[in-house]
Amino acid sequence: MKIALMDSGIGLLAATAAVRRLRPDADLVLSLDPDGMPWGPRTPEDLTGRALAVAEAAAAHRPDALIVGCNTATVHALTALRARLEPGLPVIGTVPAIKPAAAGGGPLAIWATPATTGSPYQRDLIENFADGVTVTEVPCWGLAEAVERADETAIDAAVAAAAELTPDDVTTVVLGCTHYELVAERIRAAVQRPGRPPLALHGSAGAVAAQALRRLGEQPAPQTSASGTLTVLLSGREGALPTAALTYAEGRLLRHAAAARTAQ
């Protein structure tokens, strides 16, 4: 089994690590776009063009499924990606985990990029899945970019700024950008208030990995041998994981995979 994941940068690490944990025997293809990142400030049309190119580079390695490991790319490009690649290649998007978070009753906060915060897309998710729950949308200025660079000082500053915008009574935080899952415990520490119940964090990586297996009719098999290989594409060129990726536990997990190779 071979599963590809795509993003502009290392935000796809969380979903990649989730796939690796569920199926250590799966070959992985990671398709990043260092030449075009970040995607967030781009127009929807431009972003879609970049996403299609990155997806097609991954598709050339003949994966069985493609995960769009980016919330922004899912919002703007998922329809185009599915039109181009399905039914031959199943495409799985990443949606903020608002529905399971709201099931806990809230109040909840959604941490997302400034471009996503307040967007019709996110508002629709809130209306459809969090009706009756108190929701605060929190724009996280610079956090995804700081995580991408593994800039510890900038991460701390961005997390602190977003925490200041998060109401004290929040019991749940939705991580509405895949980059944020790489610093989830730092977010938890910043938002957790003394004397309050333990904060619940909801990311998307586990659900996305599980959905990819379901689309393929496969089952989790975490006890299988870690025989899966890792291929990394950088704007279509075969390369290595960015150095910043190894700052995070998810990146270090992948480093122990078999050496990268070109898919046959």
Side-chain angles (χ1 to χ4, degrees):
M1 180 172 56
K2 183 183 293 184
I3 295 178
L5 300 96
M6 58 169 281
D7 190 6
S8 62
I10 63 174
L12 51 64
L13 286 178
T16 305
V19 172
R20 175 63 79 214
R21 292 185 183 103
L22 290 176
R23 290 299 299 258
D25 59 331
D27 293 337
L28 302 177
V29 178
L30 309 190
S31 190
L32 289 70
D33 188 25
D35 293 354
M37 66 176 302
W39 284 351
R42 293 181 176 273
T43 65
E45 295 77 17
D46 190 18
L47 187 155
T48 297
R50 300 296 311 186
L52 286 167
V54 167
E56 289 177 341
H61 288 253
R62 302 176 64 84
D64 300 301
L66 172 66
I67 292 172
V68 184
C70 174
N71 296 91
T72 302
T74 298
V75 171
H76 296 297
L78 185 61
T79 299
L81 289 167
R82 284 178 168 164
R84 180 75 59 89
L85 298 172
E86 290 190 339
L89 177 60
V91 180
I92 297 92
T94 299
V95 177
I98 294 173
K99 183 177 181 179
L108 65 87
I110 304 171
W111 283 34
T113 63
T116 299
T117 300
S119 66
Y121 165 77
Q122 185 160 289
R123 292 285 169 84
D124 284 346
L125 289 175
I126 294 169
E127 182 177 338
N128 290 333
F129 299 121
D131 187 38
V133 176
T134 301
V135 177
T136 301
E137 297 180 85
V138 178
C140 301
W141 297 93
L143 181 53
E145 294 82 357
V147 172
E148 181 70 31
R149 301 191 306 271
D151 184 331
E152 298 293 326
T153 301
I155 291 170
D156 286 343
V159 168
E164 284 292 323
L165 300 176
T166 304
D168 288 345
D169 63 348
V170 158
T171 61
T172 305
V173 173
V174 175
L175 303 176
C177 171
T178 54
H179 280 79
Y180 303 169
E181 297 191 49
L182 302 179
V183 292
E185 291 310 310
R186 293 164 78 163
I187 293 171
R188 185 193 305 277
V191 178
Q192 180 70 58
R193 307 300 189 218
R196 300 288 301 172
L199 185 74
L201 295 181
H202 286 267
S204 301
V208 167
Q211 175 65 7
L213 294 184
R214 283 194 291 271
R215 289 286 302 271
L216 294 176
E218 297 282 352
Q219 296 294 321
Q223 302 306 318
T224 56
S225 63
S227 57
T229 61
L230 179 69
T231 299
V232 178
L233 305 174
L234 305 174
S235 298
R237 308 177 299 273
E238 190 164 345
L241 278 175
T243 301
L246 302 180
T247 303
Y248 305 103
E250 293 84 350
R252 293 191 295 272
L253 173 67
L254 298 176
R255 181 176 57 182
H256 298 300
R261 66 170 173 80
T262 303
Q264 300 300 317

